[in-house]
Amino acid sequence: MPPVADFQVGIVLIIVVLVALPVGAIVFARGAGKSLDQIGKGQFAMEQDFPQSSQGSIQAVSAEVREEEIRQMIQARSDRGVDKGRKPLDVDAEVEKLLASESGGPSLAGDKALREEVRQLVVARNERRQRQGKKPLDVEKEIARQLSELENLGQ
């Protein structure tokens, strides 16, 4: 009788599995190539720097357009309140109040906690840029740029 016939089915199954698993793993790893290195990377990864705007500052919206958009927002808020059984808002008074409070309000640059948080983000971005071989950004200029973008957000 041949020596293979002496093996039981369970032992043959174990040997096949023990041989097939490493061979399958090696074939998978070689076939995947650089795909395994790309896991966790892509356009939504946090390691990427955000593209710097070359357009300069954000285009300012005219005062009339801004006031009309604020008026529409207040009117919609008033309509939702009326639907819920509240008194309607005086839209003109609310618009004037909002426009008056914006003109003399404090800037974000005066908020020390926010400035420190932006500084930490800029320093972290500089460290990433240096690891990637890029030149670091000027920290103070980048902080001022980001704070001005935050102030102009939505305009």
Side-chain angles (χ1 to χ4, degrees):
M1 220 185 233
V4 176
D6 292 337
F7 288 126
Q8 295 179 358
V9 174
I11 294 174
V12 172
L13 185 62
I14 290 174
I15 291 172
V16 168
V17 168
L18 289 178
V19 170
L21 271 176
V23 170
I26 291 170
V27 169
F28 174 74
R30 296 195 77 201
K34 295 287 181 180
S35 297
L36 293 176
D37 295 333
Q38 297 298 322
I39 292 176
K41 297 180 181 171
Q43 67 181 15
F44 298 116
M46 295 301 290
E47 288 295 318
Q48 253 178 337
D49 281 337
F50 295 108
Q52 299 296 322
S53 172
S54 61
Q55 300 171 356
S57 65
I58 298 173
Q59 296 289 334
V61 178
S62 69
E64 295 83 22
V65 172
R66 181 169 168 72
E67 183 177 343
E68 182 60 32
E69 288 179 355
I70 291 173
R71 183 174 307 283
Q72 290 173 2
M73 179 191 69
I74 299 295
Q75 184 63 48
R77 185 187 304 164
S78 176
D79 292 343
R80 283 192 312 269
V82 168
D83 289 345
K84 293 180 181 179
R86 299 183 192 135
K87 295 187 328 186
L89 296 174
D90 182 6
V91 176
D92 292 329
E94 290 290 325
V95 169
E96 292 302 321
K97 185 171 74 171
L98 279 174
L99 291 176
S101 68
E102 286 181 358
S103 63
S107 68
L108 292 178
D111 187 355
K112 291 181 182 179
L114 179 62
R115 188 170 187 80
E116 181 58 33
E117 187 172 343
V118 172
R119 175 182 299 281
Q120 291 172 2
L121 291 172
V122 170
V123 168
R125 183 177 297 143
N126 270 345
E127 290 171 359
R128 279 195 308 273
R129 289 176 63 91
Q130 287 176 342
R131 284 193 306 264
Q132 295 172 352
K134 297 177 183 176
K135 73 174 198 173
L137 302 169
D138 181 11
V139 175
E140 293 302 320
K141 284 184 181 177
E142 185 64 15
I143 291 171
R145 184 190 68 78
Q146 289 197 4
L147 287 175
S148 70
E149 280 185 7
L150 285 173
E151 286 176 348
N152 296 329
L153 194 63
Q155 292 184 3

